[in-house]
Amino acid sequence: GAVVSQHPSWVICKSGTSVKIECRSLDFQATTMFWYRQFPKQSLMLMATSNEGSKATYEQGVEKDKFLINHASLTLSTLTVTSAHPEDSSFYICSASDSSYNSPLHFGNGTRLTVT
Amino acid sequence: DQQVKQNSPSLSVQEGRISILNCDYTNSMFDYFLWYKKYPAEGPTFLISISSIKDKNEDGRFTVFLNKSAKHLSLHIVPSQPGDSAVYFCAATPKLIFGTGTRLQVFP
C-alpha cells in the first residue's frame, strides 16, 4: 500500500535553532501534503496544506514565518521550525494525498520534537 | 471551537464483544467522514469512511453509521480483538478536521 516516510522520527534541539522535518511519499505522487501538530491528549491540529509548486496555505493562528513549508516536488514536502522555542515541542505528523477529493490520507509516522 | 468531538476519551471492551465509538460534529457543511486508527508513536492509518449521502458503510468487522440530523456518527467494531486496541480518531472534510480521539482497549 501507499507509504509516507517522515524523517526524523525524533529530534532534540536547542532553543533558537531551526529544525527541518521531511515528508516523502514513497510510491505515489502526492499532489497535496498536510502538516499536523498533536499536543498531548489532544487531537491532530491541521497546521497547513501544501500543494506541489505553490505556496502553502496556513491555518488560522499558525505563523507561516515560523513554520516554513516547502513542497518542491510531488514526492517531498518539508516543514522547518525556525528559531524553535520550548513551546514548539510537540509531535508533528505529515500526510499526503495522491488524487481525488476525499481520498484517504496516508500518514507519516510523525516526528517528536523536543526543544530544550 | 471543536467542530468534531469525541466525548469519550477511553473505552474498554472485552474481546469478542462489540466496540462502539462515537463522534459528534457541529458543521453541517461536512460532507465526508473518516475514521483513523493510531498506535503510539505512529501516524494514523485509515480505517473506513462514509459519505454524507449514506447512512451506513460496512467493511469487514468495521461499520460506520451516520445520522445527519443528529450530526452524529459511530464506528462499530465486532467482534472486537485485542489488536484493535489503539486510539481512534474521526475526521470530517472538506477540511480535514479531527476529533480528539478515543482510546480503545480490548481485553481478553
Side-chain angles (χ1 to χ4, degrees), chain A residues 36 38 41-44 46 59 91 93 101-105 107-110, chain B residues 2 31-32 34 36 38 41-46 89 93-96 98-100:
Chain A
Y36 297 86
Q38 184 177 23
K41 298 183 180 180
Q42 294 189 28
S43 180
L44 292 167
L46 179 64
E59 294 301 302
F91 192 60
I93 302 179
Y101 177 76
N102 285 336
S103 64
L105 297 178
F107 286 84
N109 280 339
Chain B
Q2 191 71 29
D31 59 1
Y32 197 80
L34 308 96
Y36 288 85
K38 184 180 182 301
E42 292 185 14
T45 55
F46 170 73
F89 291 95
T93 66
K95 186 178 286 186
L96 199 68
F98 282 86
T100 49

PDB file of all heavy atoms in Angstrom, chain A residues 36 38 41-44 46 59 91 93 101-105 107-110, chain B residues 2 31-32 34 36 38 41-46 89 93-96 98-100:
ATOM      1  N   TYR A  36       0.381  18.374  10.388  1.00  0.00           N
ATOM      2  CA  TYR A  36      -0.417  18.423  11.612  1.00  0.00           C
ATOM      3  C   TYR A  36       0.512  18.501  12.817  1.00  0.00           C
ATOM      4  O   TYR A  36       1.664  18.092  12.781  1.00  0.00           O
ATOM      5  CB  TYR A  36      -1.278  17.162  11.757  1.00  0.00           C
ATOM      6  CG  TYR A  36      -2.303  16.972  10.674  1.00  0.00           C
ATOM      7  CD1 TYR A  36      -1.973  16.343   9.484  1.00  0.00           C
ATOM      8  CD2 TYR A  36      -3.604  17.419  10.850  1.00  0.00           C
ATOM      9  CE1 TYR A  36      -2.912  16.169   8.487  1.00  0.00           C
ATOM     10  CE2 TYR A  36      -4.561  17.238   9.857  1.00  0.00           C
ATOM     11  CZ  TYR A  36      -4.202  16.620   8.687  1.00  0.00           C
ATOM     12  OH  TYR A  36      -5.134  16.443   7.708  1.00  0.00           O
ATOM     13  N   GLN A  38       0.250  17.590  17.034  1.00  0.00           N
ATOM     14  CA  GLN A  38      -0.563  16.980  18.072  1.00  0.00           C
ATOM     15  C   GLN A  38       0.013  17.297  19.434  1.00  0.00           C
ATOM     16  O   GLN A  38       1.166  16.957  19.725  1.00  0.00           O
ATOM     17  CB  GLN A  38      -0.663  15.468  17.905  1.00  0.00           C
ATOM     18  CG  GLN A  38      -1.596  14.831  18.916  1.00  0.00           C
ATOM     19  CD  GLN A  38      -1.770  13.351  18.723  1.00  0.00           C
ATOM     20  OE1 GLN A  38      -0.910  12.697  18.136  1.00  0.00           O
ATOM     21  NE2 GLN A  38      -2.876  12.797  19.206  1.00  0.00           N
ATOM     22  N   LYS A  41      -2.680  14.401  24.507  1.00  0.00           N
ATOM     23  CA  LYS A  41      -4.087  14.173  24.819  1.00  0.00           C
ATOM     24  C   LYS A  41      -5.028  15.103  24.055  1.00  0.00           C
ATOM     25  O   LYS A  41      -6.153  15.349  24.493  1.00  0.00           O
ATOM     26  CB  LYS A  41      -4.336  14.294  26.328  1.00  0.00           C
ATOM     27  CG  LYS A  41      -3.569  13.268  27.132  1.00  0.00           C
ATOM     28  CD  LYS A  41      -3.894  13.355  28.606  1.00  0.00           C
ATOM     29  CE  LYS A  41      -3.109  12.311  29.388  1.00  0.00           C
ATOM     30  NZ  LYS A  41      -3.390  12.365  30.839  1.00  0.00           N
ATOM     31  N   GLN A  42      -4.573  15.597  22.939  1.00  0.00           N
ATOM     32  CA  GLN A  42      -5.424  16.433  22.101  1.00  0.00           C
ATOM     33  C   GLN A  42      -5.445  15.881  20.684  1.00  0.00           C
ATOM     34  O   GLN A  42      -4.745  14.948  20.344  1.00  0.00           O
ATOM     35  CB  GLN A  42      -4.934  17.882  22.100  1.00  0.00           C
ATOM     36  CG  GLN A  42      -5.052  18.568  23.443  1.00  0.00           C
ATOM     37  CD  GLN A  42      -4.776  20.048  23.345  1.00  0.00           C
ATOM     38  OE1 GLN A  42      -4.997  20.676  22.307  1.00  0.00           O
ATOM     39  NE2 GLN A  42      -4.288  20.627  24.429  1.00  0.00           N
ATOM     40  N   SER A  43      -6.298  16.483  19.895  1.00  0.00           N
ATOM     41  CA  SER A  43      -6.466  15.997  18.536  1.00  0.00           C
ATOM     42  C   SER A  43      -5.327  16.445  17.635  1.00  0.00           C
ATOM     43  O   SER A  43      -4.502  17.269  18.005  1.00  0.00           O
ATOM     44  CB  SER A  43      -7.783  16.508  17.984  1.00  0.00           C
ATOM     45  OG  SER A  43      -7.981  16.048  16.668  1.00  0.00           O
ATOM     46  N   LEU A  44      -5.315  15.884  16.443  1.00  0.00           N
ATOM     47  CA  LEU A  44      -4.403  16.362  15.411  1.00  0.00           C
ATOM     48  C   LEU A  44      -4.918  17.707  14.910  1.00  0.00           C
ATOM     49  O   LEU A  44      -6.049  17.812  14.453  1.00  0.00           O
ATOM     50  CB  LEU A  44      -4.356  15.373  14.255  1.00  0.00           C
ATOM     51  CG  LEU A  44      -3.718  14.018  14.541  1.00  0.00           C
ATOM     52  CD1 LEU A  44      -4.026  13.039  13.431  1.00  0.00           C
ATOM     53  CD2 LEU A  44      -2.226  14.165  14.718  1.00  0.00           C
ATOM     54  N   LEU A  46      -4.591  20.606  12.199  1.00  0.00           N
ATOM     55  CA  LEU A  46      -4.048  20.927  10.894  1.00  0.00           C
ATOM     56  C   LEU A  46      -3.307  22.256  10.966  1.00  0.00           C
ATOM     57  O   LEU A  46      -3.871  23.264  11.405  1.00  0.00           O
ATOM     58  CB  LEU A  46      -5.173  20.999   9.857  1.00  0.00           C
ATOM     59  CG  LEU A  46      -4.756  21.362   8.433  1.00  0.00           C
ATOM     60  CD1 LEU A  46      -3.841  20.294   7.851  1.00  0.00           C
ATOM     61  CD2 LEU A  46      -5.988  21.545   7.551  1.00  0.00           C
ATOM     62  N   GLU A  59      -3.291  27.453   8.370  1.00  0.00           N
ATOM     63  CA  GLU A  59      -4.494  27.599   9.171  1.00  0.00           C
ATOM     64  C   GLU A  59      -4.373  28.822  10.079  1.00  0.00           C
ATOM     65  O   GLU A  59      -3.270  29.286  10.390  1.00  0.00           O
ATOM     66  CB  GLU A  59      -4.731  26.346  10.009  1.00  0.00           C
ATOM     67  CG  GLU A  59      -5.038  25.121   9.174  1.00  0.00           C
ATOM     68  CD  GLU A  59      -6.264  25.299   8.318  1.00  0.00           C
ATOM     69  OE1 GLU A  59      -7.354  25.566   8.884  1.00  0.00           O
ATOM     70  OE2 GLU A  59      -6.151  25.178   7.086  1.00  0.00           O
ATOM     71  N   PHE A  91       4.446  16.842  18.737  1.00  0.00           N
ATOM     72  CA  PHE A  91       4.505  15.738  17.785  1.00  0.00           C
ATOM     73  C   PHE A  91       3.960  16.266  16.464  1.00  0.00           C
ATOM     74  O   PHE A  91       2.826  16.722  16.406  1.00  0.00           O
ATOM     75  CB  PHE A  91       3.662  14.578  18.318  1.00  0.00           C
ATOM     76  CG  PHE A  91       3.838  13.283  17.595  1.00  0.00           C
ATOM     77  CD1 PHE A  91       5.077  12.670  17.540  1.00  0.00           C
ATOM     78  CD2 PHE A  91       2.771  12.650  16.994  1.00  0.00           C
ATOM     79  CE1 PHE A  91       5.246  11.457  16.877  1.00  0.00           C
ATOM     80  CE2 PHE A  91       2.927  11.434  16.339  1.00  0.00           C
ATOM     81  CZ  PHE A  91       4.162  10.840  16.284  1.00  0.00           C
ATOM     82  N   ILE A  93       3.088  15.574  12.454  1.00  0.00           N
ATOM     83  CA  ILE A  93       2.779  14.492  11.517  1.00  0.00           C
ATOM     84  C   ILE A  93       2.428  15.079  10.162  1.00  0.00           C
ATOM     85  O   ILE A  93       1.686  16.062  10.070  1.00  0.00           O
ATOM     86  CB  ILE A  93       1.582  13.643  12.002  1.00  0.00           C
ATOM     87  CG1 ILE A  93       1.858  13.051  13.369  1.00  0.00           C
ATOM     88  CG2 ILE A  93       1.288  12.512  11.027  1.00  0.00           C
ATOM     89  CD1 ILE A  93       0.682  12.226  13.901  1.00  0.00           C
ATOM     90  N   TYR A 101     -10.394  14.386  -4.273  1.00  0.00           N
ATOM     91  CA  TYR A 101     -11.062  14.924  -3.093  1.00  0.00           C
ATOM     92  C   TYR A 101     -11.596  13.764  -2.256  1.00  0.00           C
ATOM     93  O   TYR A 101     -12.206  12.845  -2.756  1.00  0.00           O
ATOM     94  CB  TYR A 101     -12.211  15.814  -3.583  1.00  0.00           C
ATOM     95  CG  TYR A 101     -13.071  16.412  -2.523  1.00  0.00           C
ATOM     96  CD1 TYR A 101     -12.612  17.485  -1.778  1.00  0.00           C
ATOM     97  CD2 TYR A 101     -14.342  15.936  -2.277  1.00  0.00           C
ATOM     98  CE1 TYR A 101     -13.417  18.068  -0.815  1.00  0.00           C
ATOM     99  CE2 TYR A 101     -15.147  16.511  -1.330  1.00  0.00           C
ATOM    100  CZ  TYR A 101     -14.686  17.587  -0.600  1.00  0.00           C
ATOM    101  OH  TYR A 101     -15.479  18.153   0.341  1.00  0.00           O
ATOM    102  N   ASN A 102     -11.320  13.823  -0.994  1.00  0.00           N
ATOM    103  CA  ASN A 102     -11.782  12.816  -0.048  1.00  0.00           C
ATOM    104  C   ASN A 102     -11.044  11.488  -0.123  1.00  0.00           C
ATOM    105  O   ASN A 102     -11.413  10.557   0.569  1.00  0.00           O
ATOM    106  CB  ASN A 102     -13.295  12.547  -0.200  1.00  0.00           C
ATOM    107  CG  ASN A 102     -14.118  13.669   0.389  1.00  0.00           C
ATOM    108  OD1 ASN A 102     -13.642  14.377   1.262  1.00  0.00           O
ATOM    109  ND2 ASN A 102     -15.327  13.824  -0.084  1.00  0.00           N
ATOM    110  N   SER A 103     -10.015  11.381  -0.949  1.00  0.00           N
ATOM    111  CA  SER A 103      -9.255  10.132  -0.901  1.00  0.00           C
ATOM    112  C   SER A 103      -8.557  10.065   0.455  1.00  0.00           C
ATOM    113  O   SER A 103      -8.044  11.060   0.944  1.00  0.00           O
ATOM    114  CB  SER A 103      -8.239  10.067  -2.028  1.00  0.00           C
ATOM    115  OG  SER A 103      -7.271  11.069  -1.896  1.00  0.00           O
ATOM    116  N   PRO A 104      -8.573   8.897   1.095  1.00  0.00           N
ATOM    117  CA  PRO A 104      -7.976   8.795   2.427  1.00  0.00           C
ATOM    118  C   PRO A 104      -6.512   9.207   2.423  1.00  0.00           C
ATOM    119  O   PRO A 104      -5.786   8.926   1.496  1.00  0.00           O
ATOM    120  CB  PRO A 104      -8.130   7.311   2.753  1.00  0.00           C
ATOM    121  CG  PRO A 104      -9.283   6.871   1.946  1.00  0.00           C
ATOM    122  CD  PRO A 104      -9.175   7.636   0.667  1.00  0.00           C
ATOM    123  N   LEU A 105      -6.139   9.859   3.455  1.00  0.00           N
ATOM    124  CA  LEU A 105      -4.773  10.317   3.553  1.00  0.00           C
ATOM    125  C   LEU A 105      -3.868   9.212   4.039  1.00  0.00           C
ATOM    126  O   LEU A 105      -4.269   8.338   4.790  1.00  0.00           O
ATOM    127  CB  LEU A 105      -4.689  11.495   4.525  1.00  0.00           C
ATOM    128  CG  LEU A 105      -5.456  12.751   4.135  1.00  0.00           C
ATOM    129  CD1 LEU A 105      -5.307  13.790   5.227  1.00  0.00           C
ATOM    130  CD2 LEU A 105      -4.974  13.276   2.808  1.00  0.00           C
ATOM    131  N   PHE A 107      -0.475   8.727   6.171  1.00  0.00           N
ATOM    132  CA  PHE A 107       0.267   9.493   7.159  1.00  0.00           C
ATOM    133  C   PHE A 107       1.687   8.983   7.336  1.00  0.00           C
ATOM    134  O   PHE A 107       1.962   7.789   7.225  1.00  0.00           O
ATOM    135  CB  PHE A 107      -0.441   9.419   8.521  1.00  0.00           C
ATOM    136  CG  PHE A 107      -1.687  10.253   8.602  1.00  0.00           C
ATOM    137  CD1 PHE A 107      -2.891   9.771   8.141  1.00  0.00           C
ATOM    138  CD2 PHE A 107      -1.648  11.528   9.157  1.00  0.00           C
ATOM    139  CE1 PHE A 107      -4.047  10.537   8.217  1.00  0.00           C
ATOM    140  CE2 PHE A 107      -2.800  12.293   9.247  1.00  0.00           C
ATOM    141  CZ  PHE A 107      -3.992  11.802   8.772  1.00  0.00           C
ATOM    142  N   GLY A 108       2.580   9.926   7.649  1.00  0.00           N
ATOM    143  CA  GLY A 108       3.892   9.542   8.125  1.00  0.00           C
ATOM    144  C   GLY A 108       3.791   9.090   9.571  1.00  0.00           C
ATOM    145  O   GLY A 108       2.726   9.183  10.188  1.00  0.00           O
ATOM    146  N   ASN A 109       4.882   8.611  10.109  1.00  0.00           N
ATOM    147  CA  ASN A 109       4.881   8.130  11.491  1.00  0.00           C
ATOM    148  C   ASN A 109       5.129   9.233  12.507  1.00  0.00           C
ATOM    149  O   ASN A 109       5.132   8.979  13.708  1.00  0.00           O
ATOM    150  CB  ASN A 109       5.920   7.030  11.684  1.00  0.00           C
ATOM    151  CG  ASN A 109       5.421   5.689  11.185  1.00  0.00           C
ATOM    152  OD1 ASN A 109       4.212   5.482  11.051  1.00  0.00           O
ATOM    153  ND2 ASN A 109       6.317   4.799  10.892  1.00  0.00           N
ATOM    154  N   GLY A 110       5.319  10.439  12.027  1.00  0.00           N
ATOM    155  CA  GLY A 110       5.437  11.550  12.945  1.00  0.00           C
ATOM    156  C   GLY A 110       6.861  11.836  13.389  1.00  0.00           C
ATOM    157  O   GLY A 110       7.755  10.999  13.293  1.00  0.00           O
TER     158      GLY A 110
ATOM    159  N   GLN B   2     -14.309  23.305  18.964  1.00  0.00           N
ATOM    160  CA  GLN B   2     -14.076  21.953  18.487  1.00  0.00           C
ATOM    161  C   GLN B   2     -15.255  21.562  17.600  1.00  0.00           C
ATOM    162  O   GLN B   2     -16.354  21.314  18.090  1.00  0.00           O
ATOM    163  CB  GLN B   2     -13.946  21.015  19.698  1.00  0.00           C
ATOM    164  CG  GLN B   2     -13.450  19.636  19.384  1.00  0.00           C
ATOM    165  CD  GLN B   2     -11.987  19.593  19.002  1.00  0.00           C
ATOM    166  OE1 GLN B   2     -11.198  20.409  19.443  1.00  0.00           O
ATOM    167  NE2 GLN B   2     -11.629  18.646  18.164  1.00  0.00           N
ATOM    168  N   ASP B  31     -19.110  16.927   4.563  1.00  0.00           N
ATOM    169  CA  ASP B  31     -19.806  16.043   3.639  1.00  0.00           C
ATOM    170  C   ASP B  31     -19.168  14.668   3.523  1.00  0.00           C
ATOM    171  O   ASP B  31     -19.645  13.825   2.755  1.00  0.00           O
ATOM    172  CB  ASP B  31     -19.908  16.701   2.257  1.00  0.00           C
ATOM    173  CG  ASP B  31     -18.543  17.026   1.670  1.00  0.00           C
ATOM    174  OD1 ASP B  31     -17.523  16.732   2.319  1.00  0.00           O
ATOM    175  OD2 ASP B  31     -18.509  17.580   0.553  1.00  0.00           O
ATOM    176  N   TYR B  32     -18.108  14.455   4.275  1.00  0.00           N
ATOM    177  CA  TYR B  32     -17.447  13.157   4.178  1.00  0.00           C
ATOM    178  C   TYR B  32     -16.730  12.932   5.497  1.00  0.00           C
ATOM    179  O   TYR B  32     -16.107  13.844   6.042  1.00  0.00           O
ATOM    180  CB  TYR B  32     -16.451  13.175   3.015  1.00  0.00           C
ATOM    181  CG  TYR B  32     -16.002  11.815   2.538  1.00  0.00           C
ATOM    182  CD1 TYR B  32     -16.818  11.063   1.690  1.00  0.00           C
ATOM    183  CD2 TYR B  32     -14.772  11.299   2.888  1.00  0.00           C
ATOM    184  CE1 TYR B  32     -16.412   9.836   1.231  1.00  0.00           C
ATOM    185  CE2 TYR B  32     -14.362  10.063   2.431  1.00  0.00           C
ATOM    186  CZ  TYR B  32     -15.180   9.339   1.591  1.00  0.00           C
ATOM    187  OH  TYR B  32     -14.777   8.120   1.131  1.00  0.00           O
ATOM    188  N   LEU B  34     -14.354  10.235   8.024  1.00  0.00           N
ATOM    189  CA  LEU B  34     -13.380   9.150   8.001  1.00  0.00           C
ATOM    190  C   LEU B  34     -13.016   8.752   9.419  1.00  0.00           C
ATOM    191  O   LEU B  34     -13.049   9.578  10.342  1.00  0.00           O
ATOM    192  CB  LEU B  34     -12.105   9.585   7.262  1.00  0.00           C
ATOM    193  CG  LEU B  34     -12.286  10.186   5.864  1.00  0.00           C
ATOM    194  CD1 LEU B  34     -12.314  11.706   5.912  1.00  0.00           C
ATOM    195  CD2 LEU B  34     -11.159   9.736   4.936  1.00  0.00           C
ATOM    196  N   TYR B  36      -9.849   6.951  11.599  1.00  0.00           N
ATOM    197  CA  TYR B  36      -8.457   6.562  11.576  1.00  0.00           C
ATOM    198  C   TYR B  36      -8.115   5.876  12.887  1.00  0.00           C
ATOM    199  O   TYR B  36      -8.671   6.195  13.936  1.00  0.00           O
ATOM    200  CB  TYR B  36      -7.543   7.780  11.391  1.00  0.00           C
ATOM    201  CG  TYR B  36      -7.571   8.386  10.010  1.00  0.00           C
ATOM    202  CD1 TYR B  36      -8.546   9.315   9.663  1.00  0.00           C
ATOM    203  CD2 TYR B  36      -6.617   8.042   9.067  1.00  0.00           C
ATOM    204  CE1 TYR B  36      -8.574   9.872   8.392  1.00  0.00           C
ATOM    205  CE2 TYR B  36      -6.635   8.606   7.792  1.00  0.00           C
ATOM    206  CZ  TYR B  36      -7.616   9.518   7.471  1.00  0.00           C
ATOM    207  OH  TYR B  36      -7.648  10.074   6.213  1.00  0.00           O
ATOM    208  N   LYS B  38      -4.825   4.857  15.398  1.00  0.00           N
ATOM    209  CA  LYS B  38      -3.457   5.309  15.645  1.00  0.00           C
ATOM    210  C   LYS B  38      -2.840   4.553  16.806  1.00  0.00           C
ATOM    211  O   LYS B  38      -3.397   4.527  17.906  1.00  0.00           O
ATOM    212  CB  LYS B  38      -3.447   6.817  15.928  1.00  0.00           C
ATOM    213  CG  LYS B  38      -2.037   7.387  16.095  1.00  0.00           C
ATOM    214  CD  LYS B  38      -2.082   8.871  16.378  1.00  0.00           C
ATOM    215  CE  LYS B  38      -0.674   9.446  16.491  1.00  0.00           C
ATOM    216  NZ  LYS B  38       0.118   8.818  17.544  1.00  0.00           N
ATOM    217  N   ALA B  41       3.268   6.575  18.795  1.00  0.00           N
ATOM    218  CA  ALA B  41       4.458   6.900  18.013  1.00  0.00           C
ATOM    219  C   ALA B  41       4.335   6.531  16.541  1.00  0.00           C
ATOM    220  O   ALA B  41       5.351   6.416  15.842  1.00  0.00           O
ATOM    221  CB  ALA B  41       5.693   6.248  18.614  1.00  0.00           C
ATOM    222  N   GLU B  42       3.135   6.342  16.058  1.00  0.00           N
ATOM    223  CA  GLU B  42       2.929   6.091  14.634  1.00  0.00           C
ATOM    224  C   GLU B  42       1.909   7.070  14.089  1.00  0.00           C
ATOM    225  O   GLU B  42       1.116   7.648  14.839  1.00  0.00           O
ATOM    226  CB  GLU B  42       2.434   4.669  14.399  1.00  0.00           C
ATOM    227  CG  GLU B  42       3.446   3.593  14.715  1.00  0.00           C
ATOM    228  CD  GLU B  42       2.925   2.211  14.348  1.00  0.00           C
ATOM    229  OE1 GLU B  42       1.915   2.119  13.628  1.00  0.00           O
ATOM    230  OE2 GLU B  42       3.548   1.227  14.792  1.00  0.00           O
ATOM    231  N   GLY B  43       1.902   7.229  12.776  1.00  0.00           N
ATOM    232  CA  GLY B  43       0.882   8.051  12.158  1.00  0.00           C
ATOM    233  C   GLY B  43      -0.440   7.307  12.094  1.00  0.00           C
ATOM    234  O   GLY B  43      -0.489   6.085  12.160  1.00  0.00           O
ATOM    235  N   PRO B  44      -1.542   8.031  11.998  1.00  0.00           N
ATOM    236  CA  PRO B  44      -2.845   7.378  11.876  1.00  0.00           C
ATOM    237  C   PRO B  44      -2.946   6.568  10.589  1.00  0.00           C
ATOM    238  O   PRO B  44      -2.345   6.924   9.574  1.00  0.00           O
ATOM    239  CB  PRO B  44      -3.827   8.555  11.851  1.00  0.00           C
ATOM    240  CG  PRO B  44      -3.073   9.718  12.390  1.00  0.00           C
ATOM    241  CD  PRO B  44      -1.650   9.486  12.012  1.00  0.00           C
ATOM    242  N   THR B  45      -3.697   5.501  10.633  1.00  0.00           N
ATOM    243  CA  THR B  45      -3.988   4.718   9.426  1.00  0.00           C
ATOM    244  C   THR B  45      -5.482   4.750   9.170  1.00  0.00           C
ATOM    245  O   THR B  45      -6.289   4.673  10.097  1.00  0.00           O
ATOM    246  CB  THR B  45      -3.506   3.267   9.554  1.00  0.00           C
ATOM    247  OG1 THR B  45      -4.071   2.699  10.725  1.00  0.00           O
ATOM    248  CG2 THR B  45      -2.002   3.191   9.636  1.00  0.00           C
ATOM    249  N   PHE B  46      -5.812   4.852   7.909  1.00  0.00           N
ATOM    250  CA  PHE B  46      -7.211   4.950   7.517  1.00  0.00           C
ATOM    251  C   PHE B  46      -7.936   3.633   7.770  1.00  0.00           C
ATOM    252  O   PHE B  46      -7.419   2.553   7.492  1.00  0.00           O
ATOM    253  CB  PHE B  46      -7.292   5.318   6.037  1.00  0.00           C
ATOM    254  CG  PHE B  46      -8.668   5.218   5.453  1.00  0.00           C
ATOM    255  CD1 PHE B  46      -9.626   6.156   5.775  1.00  0.00           C
ATOM    256  CD2 PHE B  46      -9.000   4.168   4.612  1.00  0.00           C
ATOM    257  CE1 PHE B  46     -10.904   6.063   5.237  1.00  0.00           C
ATOM    258  CE2 PHE B  46     -10.277   4.073   4.076  1.00  0.00           C
ATOM    259  CZ  PHE B  46     -11.228   5.024   4.391  1.00  0.00           C
ATOM    260  N   PHE B  89      -9.593   8.043  15.809  1.00  0.00           N
ATOM    261  CA  PHE B  89      -9.985   9.420  15.513  1.00  0.00           C
ATOM    262  C   PHE B  89     -11.050   9.423  14.428  1.00  0.00           C
ATOM    263  O   PHE B  89     -10.926   8.730  13.425  1.00  0.00           O
ATOM    264  CB  PHE B  89      -8.796  10.227  14.987  1.00  0.00           C
ATOM    265  CG  PHE B  89      -7.722  10.500  15.997  1.00  0.00           C
ATOM    266  CD1 PHE B  89      -6.619   9.680  16.108  1.00  0.00           C
ATOM    267  CD2 PHE B  89      -7.811  11.604  16.829  1.00  0.00           C
ATOM    268  CE1 PHE B  89      -5.620   9.941  17.028  1.00  0.00           C
ATOM    269  CE2 PHE B  89      -6.817  11.878  17.757  1.00  0.00           C
ATOM    270  CZ  PHE B  89      -5.725  11.046  17.852  1.00  0.00           C
ATOM    271  N   THR B  93     -14.453  16.159   6.444  1.00  0.00           N
ATOM    272  CA  THR B  93     -13.987  17.038   5.352  1.00  0.00           C
ATOM    273  C   THR B  93     -15.134  17.904   4.878  1.00  0.00           C
ATOM    274  O   THR B  93     -16.291  17.603   5.167  1.00  0.00           O
ATOM    275  CB  THR B  93     -13.473  16.190   4.173  1.00  0.00           C
ATOM    276  OG1 THR B  93     -14.563  15.465   3.607  1.00  0.00           O
ATOM    277  CG2 THR B  93     -12.388  15.231   4.596  1.00  0.00           C
ATOM    278  N   PRO B  94     -14.923  19.020   4.167  1.00  0.00           N
ATOM    279  CA  PRO B  94     -13.841  19.213   3.210  1.00  0.00           C
ATOM    280  C   PRO B  94     -12.477  19.547   3.810  1.00  0.00           C
ATOM    281  O   PRO B  94     -11.458  19.157   3.245  1.00  0.00           O
ATOM    282  CB  PRO B  94     -14.340  20.356   2.332  1.00  0.00           C
ATOM    283  CG  PRO B  94     -15.340  21.070   3.150  1.00  0.00           C
ATOM    284  CD  PRO B  94     -15.984  20.026   4.002  1.00  0.00           C
ATOM    285  N   LYS B  95     -12.458  20.242   4.899  1.00  0.00           N
ATOM    286  CA  LYS B  95     -11.142  20.469   5.501  1.00  0.00           C
ATOM    287  C   LYS B  95     -10.993  19.413   6.588  1.00  0.00           C
ATOM    288  O   LYS B  95     -11.831  19.311   7.466  1.00  0.00           O
ATOM    289  CB  LYS B  95     -11.065  21.869   6.093  1.00  0.00           C
ATOM    290  CG  LYS B  95      -9.690  22.245   6.611  1.00  0.00           C
ATOM    291  CD  LYS B  95      -9.688  23.657   7.130  1.00  0.00           C
ATOM    292  CE  LYS B  95      -9.716  24.645   5.991  1.00  0.00           C
ATOM    293  NZ  LYS B  95      -9.565  26.033   6.476  1.00  0.00           N
ATOM    294  N   LEU B  96      -9.961  18.652   6.519  1.00  0.00           N
ATOM    295  CA  LEU B  96      -9.869  17.502   7.419  1.00  0.00           C
ATOM    296  C   LEU B  96      -9.718  17.965   8.857  1.00  0.00           C
ATOM    297  O   LEU B  96      -8.647  18.365   9.296  1.00  0.00           O
ATOM    298  CB  LEU B  96      -8.699  16.612   6.998  1.00  0.00           C
ATOM    299  CG  LEU B  96      -8.765  15.174   7.535  1.00  0.00           C
ATOM    300  CD1 LEU B  96      -9.924  14.427   6.895  1.00  0.00           C
ATOM    301  CD2 LEU B  96      -7.475  14.436   7.254  1.00  0.00           C
ATOM    302  N   PHE B  98     -10.062  16.805  12.756  1.00  0.00           N
ATOM    303  CA  PHE B  98     -10.050  15.597  13.568  1.00  0.00           C
ATOM    304  C   PHE B  98     -10.751  15.803  14.899  1.00  0.00           C
ATOM    305  O   PHE B  98     -10.724  16.891  15.474  1.00  0.00           O
ATOM    306  CB  PHE B  98      -8.608  15.163  13.850  1.00  0.00           C
ATOM    307  CG  PHE B  98      -7.940  14.458  12.709  1.00  0.00           C
ATOM    308  CD1 PHE B  98      -7.306  15.176  11.707  1.00  0.00           C
ATOM    309  CD2 PHE B  98      -7.953  13.075  12.631  1.00  0.00           C
ATOM    310  CE1 PHE B  98      -6.694  14.528  10.653  1.00  0.00           C
ATOM    311  CE2 PHE B  98      -7.336  12.420  11.573  1.00  0.00           C
ATOM    312  CZ  PHE B  98      -6.706  13.147  10.585  1.00  0.00           C
ATOM    313  N   GLY B  99     -11.345  14.739  15.384  1.00  0.00           N
ATOM    314  CA  GLY B  99     -11.818  14.708  16.760  1.00  0.00           C
ATOM    315  C   GLY B  99     -10.632  14.497  17.691  1.00  0.00           C
ATOM    316  O   GLY B  99      -9.484  14.360  17.258  1.00  0.00           O
ATOM    317  N   THR B 100     -10.905  14.469  18.970  1.00  0.00           N
ATOM    318  CA  THR B 100      -9.850  14.374  19.970  1.00  0.00           C
ATOM    319  C   THR B 100      -9.407  12.942  20.229  1.00  0.00           C
ATOM    320  O   THR B 100      -8.439  12.718  20.937  1.00  0.00           O
ATOM    321  CB  THR B 100     -10.299  15.015  21.290  1.00  0.00           C
ATOM    322  OG1 THR B 100     -11.583  14.496  21.629  1.00  0.00           O
ATOM    323  CG2 THR B 100     -10.372  16.525  21.158  1.00  0.00           C
TER     324      THR B 100
END
